[in-house]
Amino acid sequence: MEPVSLFDLATKQAQWLAVRQSAIAGNIANANTPGYTANDVEPFEKVLDRTAVSLQATEAGHLGNAATNAGFAIKPQQDDGVVMPSKNSVVLEDQLMKAGEVRRSFELNTAIVKAFHSMMMMAVKS
């Protein structure tokens, strides 16, 4: 049985969410550090845009074209004009809202994978 790309996509999104959660946690931890610039991860849509989906060669005569490996990294957050007197750009309310988004995205990701897994198991059992 060939691997289903939905599981690969869910794995990539879970990794992206983990990196984003780490960036948000770092921002919250450094909320009182003078001169600290808040960090964030590029949107997942941009990561998907860089990921090429390709067909897999199943016969020797087929042309193969490997998919690119899309990575993601933490980078400085876009400046929204809010800077504390200590030159710190972390706004705790924004970071807590982002942390909530990450939690909801993790829950949705897990629910989709669970539903797809149940569907696959029903198909295999019947």
Side-chain angles (χ1 to χ4, degrees):
M1 181 178 254
E2 293 293 320
V4 178
S5 63
L6 178 70
F7 290 127
D8 294 335
L9 181 61
T11 300
K12 187 174 290 289
Q13 185 190 29
Q15 291 169 342
W16 178 84
L17 287 168
V19 171
R20 185 159 195 228
Q21 185 177 30
S22 174
I24 293 167
N27 291 342
I28 292 171
N30 288 294
N32 292 327
T33 304
Y36 182 80
T37 303
N39 295 316
D40 203 352
V41 182
E42 65 184 335
F44 190 63
E45 294 80 22
K46 287 187 179 182
V47 173
L48 289 180
D49 288 345
R50 285 196 325 263
T51 305
V53 178
S54 65
L55 300 175
Q56 184 175 4
T58 56
E59 299 275 333
H62 291 172
L63 298 175
N65 188 10
T68 60
N69 185 11
F72 25 84
I74 297 173
K75 57 176 132 179
Q77 183 175 311
Q78 298 221 352
D79 187 20
D80 57 1
V82 179
V83 178
M84 302 298 170
S86 65
K87 305 291 187 224
N88 187 315
S89 66
V90 176
V91 179
L92 284 176
E93 291 83 4
D94 292 344
Q95 300 304 314
L96 292 175
M97 287 177 49
K98 288 178 184 180
E101 289 173 11
V102 169
R103 181 187 57 81
R104 286 187 300 277
S105 295
F106 264 125
E107 289 173 354
L108 180 61
N109 184 316
T110 304
I112 290 171
V113 169
K114 183 178 178 182
F116 193 70
H117 180 262
S118 296
M119 226 173 27
M120 293 281 291
M121 293 304 291
M122 286 189 334
V124 170
K125 287 181 181 177
S126 56

